[in-house]
Amino acid sequence: MAKTFNDIPLIRPETPLLDTIDNPFHLRELEENQLLTLADELRSYLLYSVGKSGGHFGAGLGTVELTIALHYIFNTPHDHLVWDVGHQAYPHKILTGRRDQMLTIRQAEGLSAFPKRDESEYDTFGVGHSSTSISAALGMALGASMNGKDSKAVAVIGDGAMTAGLAFEALNHAAHTDADLLVILNDNNMSISHNVGGLATYFSKLWSSRFYNTIREGGKKVLRSVPSAATFVRKTEEHLKAMVAPGIVFEELGFNYIGPIDGHNLPLLVQTLRNLKALSGPILLHTITRKGKGFAPAEADPVGYHALNKIEPKSKPKVAVPQPAAVVRPPKQKYQQVFGNWLCDMAEREPRLVGITPAMCEGSGMVEFAKRFPDQFHDVAIAEQHAVTLAAGLACEGIKPVVAIYSTFLQRAYDQLIHDVALQNLDVLFGIDRAGLVGEDGPSHAGSFDLTYLRCIPNMMVMTPSDENETRQMLYTGFIHKGPAAVRYPRGAGPGTAIEKDMTALPIGKGLIRREGSRIAILNFGTLLPAALATANELNATVADMRFVKPLDTGLINQLASEHSLLVTLEENTIQGGAGAAVSEYLASMGIVVPVLHLGLPDKFVDHGNHQQQLAATGLDAVSIKHAIEQRLSELESIHGAAS
């Protein structure tokens, strides 16, 4: 959740040393005693640039020293550096030739908010979803070995991303290879910061030193002939490490565990990474960092300062001019607030309700619910697959689980959705957040495919509310429905529709006529309804708010097809296999011949920009919708004219 902090200076700081670094080759020409100065300048520039552009904030401040040390020691891009998620990669972008472009980040035609392969050769792997770094880096390490390359692979993963099963699957595999893989656990959990101290630092230096590792590997060879002695020595080493570091689990997996060390101690990072670069096999370096390091408000509130809004310059005070009294309208609610309020209201009435989220409590609007109903709330961390199967297990016991999950993250649990929920026809409701395009976060976070991948699953009920009140009523409808159901809603605020406190179940599979017209019927699925109505007012078209993708309102489709010469389906989902495709499939199955125009997301990934820019670019704003309909009408008239 982004915050604005108006004390961040809008004037570019003096960064004479940073200004000489156009790529990591320049960085590696510096003397080690210059790196601390560079870190100060890099942190200052990051504060300035994010204040000007908005974007991810706290995580990058926490990786300034680590980023410098990695590019200083490793020969990037020959050595592959893989960032997990990408929130912490802003310093990496600054040091890899994109310093002056940082002011364009998350804007149309500007830098991506995440590492992106076609943006820079230093971005070795495109990310956005979490917990992919170890698998990707391991693949790069194995591939380099097959190709006879001497490059190293380094994965940087946060302690939050380490909660996902994918990370442990990769760790388990890596330990059974001879890949030269370094995994850096960037841990900003303050509960273990006491481990950063003299004894832990001493052993970290020792364990990463060439002397220790030469003895360690040589001892293994000598003791192979004496299995009992080898076992004793290995156990002794493990217990020694366990006394000063929480790394025994990684040692048991087969990694050489180093740490924890202070991730803001730049000389120590450089020394440790230099030692580790000379070692082979799978290694895990555990660093302790502080999210928001160097900016007190972000250190105190790492969740609130995960990202910043763009900071606008303060304008000069204007002379007050008397104005007529304005009509005071309540602020528009975000769909996440609508969901959170409904969840609390429903929990008051229904003790069987359990809310589940895979680490998106704040983003999904569940903070109040978590406080008021802690025994009915489960944040399972970044484990989408577990979230869905956990819900299935709860449903087996007569509990009614509500899974709040981003559309793009539900993709990661698709097998569980099919096999564990739908196949068994279990009573689970999915509140699918961030449906459709998501603006500045770009294609990795866009909910472009959920209507397509949901409607092909047997037993699923799929609903597409057009406003805040429909969202509330559909959530209630899905909750009392027996079987799997999904309500998909977008990021951000709704159109300002009044929300009824009472909850009323909607008739399943029934749409509404929102405007009567002639010739053209627009079948709207979801929150593009205002654009549909604006277009219809100009073209005198009928507008149907279809509301349900599955089951379809086939009766309404029959009526619209019989009374209009062109049907237009409208959805903020990929056209392939989406709601419009469902309409055409039904018409074809019934032998109903009527021209149909499908408007939705094209067969490509939509680049970042603000939401309105994205809608315009994909032909889903009111102007583009009107133009597309007029063009199709012209084509149909030409065909009919030629036929006559």
Side-chain angles (χ1 to χ4, degrees), residues 156-227:
V156 183
I157 184 169
D159 55 312
M162 190 63 92
T163 63
L166 178 60
F168 282 91
E169 292 173 18
L171 288 172
N172 181 62
H173 180 210
H176 293 280
T177 73
D178 57 359
D180 288 338
L181 172 68
L182 171 61
V183 175
I184 297 178
L185 174 56
N186 174 33
D187 190 344
N188 53 37
N189 186 337
M190 292 299 101
S191 66
I192 59 173
S193 60
H194 63 273
N195 288 319
V196 180
L199 188 59
T201 299
Y202 168 76
F203 275 101
S204 296
K205 289 180 179 179
L206 172 65
W207 294 333
S208 68
S209 70
R210 181 171 303 186
F211 173 75
Y212 169 80
N213 279 276
T214 299
I215 294 177
R216 182 178 189 263
E217 297 305 317
K220 286 181 180 179
K221 295 176 182 177
V222 172
L223 293 170
R224 281 196 186 113
S225 60
V226 191

Side-chain angles (χ1 to χ4, degrees), residues 414-425:
Y414 194 51
D415 177 65
Q416 287 69 32
L417 179 61
I418 295 173
H419 187 274
D420 298 341
V421 175
L423 179 61
Q424 304 180 88
N425 201 25

Side-chain angles (χ1 to χ4, degrees), residues 278-345:
L279 303 181
S280 59
I283 302 167
L284 189 137
L285 172 63
H286 187 173
T287 65
I288 304 297
T289 60
R290 189 171 185 87
K291 195 172 183 180
K293 174 70 174 177
F295 185 61
E299 290 188 35
D301 183 11
V303 174
Y305 284 91
H306 171 69
L308 278 182
N309 293 317
K310 179 180 179 180
I311 299 173
E312 303 292 346
K314 296 179 180 179
S315 57
K316 295 180 180 179
K318 297 180 180 179
V319 178
V321 178
Q323 299 288 336
V327 178
V328 179
R329 292 185 174 88
K332 296 179 180 179
Q333 281 197 35
K334 293 183 177 180
Y335 284 97
Q336 293 70 39
Q337 293 174 279
V338 175
F339 171 79
N341 292 339
W342 170 82
L343 196 63
C344 290
D345 292 345

Side-chain angles (χ1 to χ4, degrees), residues 93 98 110-121 123 608:
K93 286 180 180 265
R98 290 167 279 183
L111 293 181
S112 168
F114 306 97
K116 189 176 181 182
R117 278 173 57 85
D118 60 7
E119 186 178 287
S120 170
E121 63 179 331
D123 292 358
H608 57 277

Side-chain angles (χ1 to χ4, degrees), residues 267-459:
L268 176 61
L269 283 171
V270 169
Q271 177 185 345
T272 303
L273 290 174
R274 182 178 286 119
N275 289 336
L276 295 181
K277 185 181 179 182
L279 303 181
S280 59
I283 302 167
L284 189 137
L285 172 63
H286 187 173
T287 65
I288 304 297
T289 60
R290 189 171 185 87
K291 195 172 183 180
K293 174 70 174 177
F295 185 61
E299 290 188 35
D301 183 11
V303 174
Y305 284 91
H306 171 69
L308 278 182
N309 293 317
K310 179 180 179 180
I311 299 173
E312 303 292 346
K314 296 179 180 179
S315 57
K316 295 180 180 179
K318 297 180 180 179
V319 178
V321 178
Q323 299 288 336
V327 178
V328 179
R329 292 185 174 88
K332 296 179 180 179
Q333 281 197 35
K334 293 183 177 180
Y335 284 97
Q336 293 70 39
Q337 293 174 279
V338 175
F339 171 79
N341 292 339
W342 170 82
L343 196 63
C344 290
D345 292 345
M346 197 71 228
E348 288 178 347
R349 297 169 52 169
E350 180 51 80
R352 294 186 308 120
L353 183 152
V354 169
I356 301 171
T357 178
M360 291 292 114
C361 180
E362 290 82 12
S364 293
M366 300 179 76
V367 173
E368 182 65 21
F369 173 78
K371 290 178 181 177
R372 291 175 55 188
F373 304 95
D375 294 336
Q376 294 169 249
F377 172 71
H378 295 283
D379 185 339
V380 302
I382 303 174
E384 296 89 354
Q385 293 170 300
H386 170 58
V388 173
T389 303
L390 173 68
L394 285 165
C396 288
E397 290 297 307
I399 305 300
K400 181 70 182 199
V402 180
V403 180
I405 189 167
Y406 291 9
S407 171
T408 185
F409 297 158
L410 183 56
Q411 295 162 189
R412 311 186 87 186
Y414 194 51
D415 177 65
Q416 287 69 32
L417 179 61
I418 295 173
H419 187 274
D420 298 341
V421 175
L423 179 61
Q424 304 180 88
N425 201 25
L426 291 173
D427 203 8
V428 180
L429 173 62
F430 294 89
I432 302 179
D433 194 355
R434 266 64 167 182
L437 301 171
V438 292
E440 292 82 359
D441 280 345
S444 65
H445 282 57
S448 305
F449 311 107
D450 53 74
L451 295 184
T452 299
Y453 68 67
L454 287 172
R455 77 172 190 87
C456 66
I457 303 175
N459 295 329

Side-chain angles (χ1 to χ4, degrees), residues 150-161:
D150 62 349
S151 62
K152 297 282 187 177
V154 182
V156 183
I157 184 169
D159 55 312

Side-chain angles (χ1 to χ4, degrees), residues 8-19 40-52 94 99-100 103:
I8 293 178
L10 295 178
I11 299 174
R12 191 190 190 286
E14 296 291 331
T15 56
L17 187 57
L18 178 63
D19 293 344
D40 290 340
E41 293 185 8
L42 179 55
R43 186 168 273 112
S44 296
Y45 185 81
L46 181 62
L47 280 165
Y48 158 76
S49 66
V50 178
K52 293 283 284 185
I94 294 170
R99 179 184 61 248
D100 297 334
L103 302 185

